[in-house]
Amino acid sequence: MRIVIAGGHGQIALRLERLLAARGDEVAGIIRKAEQADDLREAGAEPVVLDLESASVDEVAERLTGADAAVFAAGAGPGSGVARKDTVDKAAAILFADAAVQAGVRRFVIVSSMGADPRHQGDEIFDVYLRAKGEADAYVRGLHALDWTVLRPGQLTDDAGTGLVRLEARTGRGPIPRDDVAAVLAELVDTSATAGLTLELISGSAPVSVAVKSVAGN
């Protein structure tokens, strides 16, 4: 498969790129800064320099042409202000989804956040973030030209992955290593039977492949 990842230099994306490249997939990661390119090459991915905050749908669609799947793993990051929650976490996700439709890429996986909700109340930065992610998710779920899956991980940690997860429509809150999020994404990209599902993810007792198969088609 050829898989294009938005936010290619993110902590989850770099892990995902290594997993996909190791299993023989062709991977491209969209990055904002040219100096990040070597990190992607080291992970086995082709770096694509493009700023999703200023790019047009046509420009993004051009980079997606020929891909079998697209993964939105970009984020403004914890140090960013309110404005970039809108321009990255919401607007860039919508742009990437529209570009996937234009490029004819059906398989689309978006990394969201547990608690994402367009109706989330509050004015703190994290409240704005959850609203932005919820609005992006709602937009993607309305695109019938995409075989979308929304993944909502719990509290992200840098602990070593265990390969054991809980993946359900509702899991309740809990931690999840970024390693295991990447492993689940690698399975989801390859499992189109999970299209149309919004899934929460925390650490659990099921091996990743078993967890994904158990929700596929539900």
Side-chain angles (χ1 to χ4, degrees):
M1 295 177 72
R2 176 171 172 80
I3 300 151
V4 179
I5 302 169
H9 195 258
Q11 295 185 67
I12 290 171
L14 285 168
R15 288 167 166 84
L16 176 59
E17 287 155 4
R18 290 187 193 98
L19 292 175
L20 295 174
R23 77 181 189 191
D25 288 324
E26 183 183 335
V27 193
I30 295 176
I31 53 177
R32 276 195 312 133
K33 301 174 182 176
E35 56 265 33
Q36 297 170 335
D38 285 346
D39 290 337
L40 269 74
R41 292 190 188 99
E42 189 179 321
E46 168 200 344
V48 177
V49 181
L50 185 68
D51 187 349
L52 294 177
E53 289 179 87
S54 60
S56 68
V57 173
D58 288 345
E59 287 172 323
V60 182
E62 184 181 337
R63 306 316 198 277
L64 281 165
T65 299
D68 299 293
V71 178
F72 185 82
S80 60
V82 167
R84 296 198 71 227
K85 305 305 181 194
D86 187 66
T87 59
V88 179
D89 294 298
K90 177 185 172 183
I94 289 171
L95 173 74
F96 196 60
D98 284 341
V101 171
Q102 184 170 312
V105 182
R106 288 206 62 93
R107 188 70 181 120
F108 191 92
V109 180
I110 181 168
V111 182
S112 183
S113 174
M114 195 172 290
D117 184 345
R119 295 172 301 280
H120 181 83
Q121 299 298 306
D123 299 314
E124 298 295 323
I125 286 183
F126 193 65
D127 297 321
V128 175
Y129 168 76
L130 290 177
R131 254 195 317 277
K133 295 297 281 185
E135 288 166 355
D137 294 352
Y139 185 86
V140 168
R141 290 187 298 202
L143 294 174
H144 301 299
L146 296 180
D147 293 331
W148 54 263
T149 302
V150 177
L151 183 65
R152 293 179 167 173
Q155 178 192 350
L156 298 171
T157 75
D158 287 325
D159 297 338
T162 65
L164 299 173
V165 301
R166 183 178 174 193
L167 180 69
E168 299 169 16
R170 292 282 183 273
T171 62
R173 296 192 176 276
I176 180 76
R178 288 179 173 88
D179 287 349
D180 290 334
V181 177
V184 168
L185 286 168
E187 261 328 296
L188 288 175
V189 162
D190 216 17
T191 311
S192 57
T194 59
L197 299 180
T198 299
L199 300 166
E200 294 183 351
L201 174 66
I202 59 175
S203 291
S205 57
V208 167
S209 59
V210 172
V212 171
K213 285 184 177 68
S214 71
V215 297
N218 290 344

